[in-house]
Amino acid sequence: MKKLLMLCIGLASTSYILAQDITDAVRYSMDEIQGTARFRAMSGAFGALGGDMSSVNINPAGSAIFNNSHASLSFGLFNKGDDITYFNGTNSSSNSNFDINQLGATLVFNNTNISSPWKNFTLSAAYDRSADFDDDWVASGVNPNTSIVEYFYQNAIGKRLDEISAFPGETLSEAYSEIGSFYGFDHQQAFLGFEGFIIDPVEDTDENTEYIRNINGTDFNQQYAYASRGYNGKLAFNFATNYDDKFYFGLNLNSHFINYERTTFFSESNNNASSSVTNVDFENNLLTTGSGFSFQLGGIAKLTEEFRVGLSYNSPTWYRISEETSQYLATTRIEDGSSINQIINPNVINIFPEYRLQTPGKLTGSLAYVFGKQGLLSFDYSVKDYSSTKFRPTSDIYFSGLNNAISDVLDTSVSYRLGGEYRYKQLSFRGGYRFEESPYKDDTFFGDLTGYSLGLGYSFGDFNLDVAFSQSERDTNYQLYNVGLTDSALIQSKFTDVILTLGFRI
């Protein structure tokens, strides 16, 4: 009977329920162009300036500002430092990596008809990292009230025992795989809790849907280790044109790439007399890959020789995303005065159906004032409505509910960037400031970002060398699990970047 029921459900189920959540939507919707050293030194305030390869990613009209064909290559040293607080425990971590974060070239084609107001057009290709997912931290402390048992209990409650347990003679790996295929991810979590003796059925019958906890009491020693790797990259193919040296127009066709790997390891122990399970180790691994497309439109106008304005529109990015997961659970329980270890290592990779994600679009208005050859000031203001983010297909009942939650929880975020440059002979001094609002309505969960930047540049004529230092800060409350154990670790993050750019005429 159970196999027949599983077959029927398996044929009807789309098995989308992996537990995608709002944090996934935010992670892939945020674009933090690391860019060239000049771009970074001015905090990315380049929407009305152009003339830099990374400015093309803000306003595609920016490549038309180049008078000559140009290429650049940037190397960056990126560090993320975290101070983590979890109940009575505090920890610190630091993670650094060195990488090529920008590469691009613009080809300028001058109009041979000197009487035409269309002076030239440009073709460009530029790669920039828009997010760096490398991170490592540990949260530890004594949770006075909530155990990991709540995660497994909440996933199990209301589910039949024969849907979350192994057949007679069936291995744990076979059962874990079949339950995931036919019922979904949350049933697998209940299966782990049951087979790990963390929960027990009220009645040992197939029809049972009620469970009891085998971890009780207070004061649970908990440690949560987080490690992630990966990036979000953007490759822009650009066309721009110059009309009468007063108006510049551009178009980007963008290809996006996601590669994200995450491992979390949770450990809990307790000495409560009311608990038969005293230790739990729980590991989760996630691999996410994806590709996407977006476009950008932009224009820059020279109102006077000194004063420029810019306007650009970034379309939503339409992603196709694939995910794989694996899990491991180990428990220690006391039975008849003896400690018994139970290990559930399915050695099964859950491969989930591809889904689609539409991130929000962005509108950016820009102003710049150029003091001849002495320097400049620039200001960008952007608006991005994160509540318009959507998981697809929207016909899926889980994604429909998640999209409704996104509309309720996320909000419109504004950001502004201010940058300046002063030139003395071949030497340039640069600085900038930026502010970005939280995408959440409740910014105590995910705070605003503030940062500043400094930089130097030296021109050798056809070759330039630039260096930038930038630092920004943001506080977040990281929720350990989406159900049951929903306590958060406060993470105060500081991002420090040093970027070196080699630029040259071609």
Side-chain angles (χ1 to χ4, degrees):
M1 178 64 183
K2 177 183 175 184
K3 286 189 176 181
L4 178 60
L5 178 62
M6 290 180 68
L7 176 60
C8 293
I9 294 177
L11 292 173
S13 173
T14 56
S15 298
Y16 278 106
I17 302 177
L18 159 64
Q20 287 93 3
D21 57 28
I22 295 175
T23 60
D24 296 314
V26 172
R27 181 187 308 113
Y28 304 129
S29 296
M30 303 188 77
D31 53 347
E32 175 57 36
I33 298 296
Q34 294 168 347
T36 65
R38 186 181 181 219
F39 176 90
R40 197 67 169 185
M42 293 173 58
S43 290
F46 265 85
L49 286 175
D52 182 276
M53 284 311 308
S54 290
S55 71
V56 175
N57 280 295
I58 303 299
N59 188 332
S63 64
I65 302 294
F66 282 110
N67 294 319
N68 302 283
S69 298
H70 179 85
S72 63
L73 172 66
S74 301
F75 304 85
L77 177 64
F78 307 96
N79 177 268
K80 182 174 184 283
D82 295 317
D83 290 324
I84 306 100
T85 303
Y86 185 68
F87 292 101
N88 64 332
T90 58
N91 294 281
S92 296
S93 68
S94 180
N95 186 77
S96 299
N97 68 85
F98 178 81
D99 214 332
I100 296 175
N101 64 285
Q102 179 274 328
L103 174 66
T106 292
L107 300 178
V108 179
F109 300 90
N110 294 313
N111 194 341
T112 57
N113 181 3
I114 60 175
S115 62
S116 173
W118 297 98
K119 301 298 183 182
N120 58 40
F121 73 90
T122 61
L123 295 176
S124 307
Y127 169 79
D128 282 88
R129 279 201 172 193
S130 54
D132 187 348
F133 298 138
D134 289 8
D135 200 8
D136 293 275
W137 52 265
V138 175
S140 59
V142 178
N143 190 325
N145 300 311
T146 310
S147 163
I148 188 62
V149 69
E150 294 301 324
Y151 173 79
F152 298 102
Y153 177 81
Q154 293 296 331
N155 274 296
I157 198 73
K159 296 180 176 63
R160 288 170 56 103
L161 179 59
D162 62 353
E163 295 175 357
I164 66 168
S165 57
F167 294 141
E170 188 178 35
T171 68
L172 294 179
S173 294
E174 291 169 342
Y176 177 87
S177 178
E178 287 193 3
I179 289 171
S181 298
F182 292 111
Y183 294 111
F185 184 78
D186 54 348
H187 279 72
Q188 286 180 321
Q189 309 317 291
F191 166 82
L192 293 174
F194 171 73
E195 297 293 349
F197 296 94
I198 297 174
I199 57 174
D200 275 331
V202 173
E203 297 180 1
D204 192 13
T205 63
D206 287 348
E207 296 79 14
N208 176 82
T209 58
E210 299 292 329
Y211 300 88
I212 60 173
R213 305 168 178 86
N214 290 328
I215 303 176
N216 298 284
T218 60
D219 295 337
F220 305 99
N221 296 298
Q222 297 174 345
Q223 184 178 83
Y224 185 92
Y226 177 102
S228 64
R229 297 290 181 268
Y231 66 95
N232 193 336
K234 176 183 176 183
L235 179 61
F237 298 95
N238 168 265
F239 172 82
T241 186
N242 170 355
Y243 182 84
D244 201 27
D245 290 327
K246 293 182 179 179
F247 300 98
Y248 306 84
F249 306 96
L251 166 69
N252 281 0
L253 300 178
N254 305 314
S255 181
H256 300 259
F257 316 94
I258 293 174
N259 186 285
Y260 175 64
E261 296 182 64
R262 182 184 69 205
T263 294
T264 63
F265 186 84
F266 178 87
S267 180
E268 177 183 289
S269 63
N270 73 87
N271 296 312
N272 300 324
S274 56
S275 296
S276 60
V277 174
T278 58
N279 295 84
V280 178
D281 292 332
F282 185 35
E283 180 180 297
N284 283 271
N285 301 294
L286 169 68
L287 170 63
T288 303
T289 57
S291 60
F293 170 79
S294 70
F295 67 88
Q296 293 168 269
L297 299 170
I300 297 173
K302 281 187 179 180
L303 302 184
T304 68
E305 275 303 308
E306 297 82 14
F307 188 56
R308 304 177 184 180
V309 298
L311 182 67
S312 63
Y313 169 72
N314 290 30
S315 77
T317 301
W318 295 277
Y319 282 111
R320 302 187 75 90
I321 297 176
S322 299
E323 294 183 326
E324 301 176 4
T325 67
S326 62
Q327 297 182 291
Y328 167 91
L329 178 72
T331 63
T332 301
R333 70 184 190 278
I334 305 299
E335 190 171 299
D336 297 328
S338 300
S339 294
I340 300 175
N341 297 321
Q342 176 76 357
I343 295 176
I344 303 176
N345 185 14
N347 284 316
V348 171
I349 296 176
N350 294 313
I351 300 176
F352 295 88
E354 183 180 76
Y355 67 91
R356 287 170 285 147
L357 175 67
Q358 177 186 313
T359 69
K362 181 171 69 173
L363 188 66
T364 301
S366 309
L367 302 172
Y369 196 90
V370 180
F371 300 91
K373 295 185 178 181
Q374 288 186 312
L376 56 88
L377 289 173
S378 181
F379 176 78
D380 285 1
Y381 185 89
S382 299
V383 179
K384 193 170 187 177
D385 183 9
Y386 284 87
S387 67
S388 65
T389 305
K390 293 189 184 304
F391 286 91
R392 300 182 184 276
T394 54
S395 59
D396 181 84
I397 188 170
Y398 178 77
F399 284 161
S400 177
L402 183 55
N403 291 336
N404 290 334
I406 286 173
S407 298
D408 293 337
V409 174
L410 299 186
D411 202 359
T412 298
S413 169
V414 302
S415 62
Y416 55 83
R417 302 165 183 257
L418 177 66
E421 180 179 66
Y422 175 76
R423 303 188 188 101
Y424 178 74
K425 297 182 179 180
Q426 286 83 21
L427 191 62
S428 297
F429 303 88
R430 301 168 184 134
Y433 173 82
R434 63 191 177 112
F435 171 83
E436 182 177 322
E437 277 188 332
S438 169
Y440 288 82
K441 291 179 181 178
D442 179 7
D443 61 6
T444 61
F445 177 71
F446 192 95
D448 300 332
L449 181 141
T450 58
Y452 70 92
S453 54
L454 299 168
L456 291 172
Y458 192 88
S459 174
F460 297 88
D462 291 341
F463 171 77
N464 62 278
L465 182 66
D466 302 289
V467 64
F469 170 87
S470 68
Q471 193 167 85
S472 58
E473 297 181 351
R474 168 173 267 151
D475 295 346
T476 59
N477 277 289
Y478 179 89
Q479 187 173 298
L480 269 56
Y481 298 95
N482 59 349
V483 296
L485 181 53
T486 57
D487 294 296
S488 298
L490 172 62
I491 304 176
Q492 298 174 297
S493 299
K494 181 176 289 186
F495 308 87
T496 304
D497 307 335
V498 178
I499 296 175
L500 177 70
T501 297
L502 309 176
F504 48 91
R505 292 183 182 180
I506 53 176

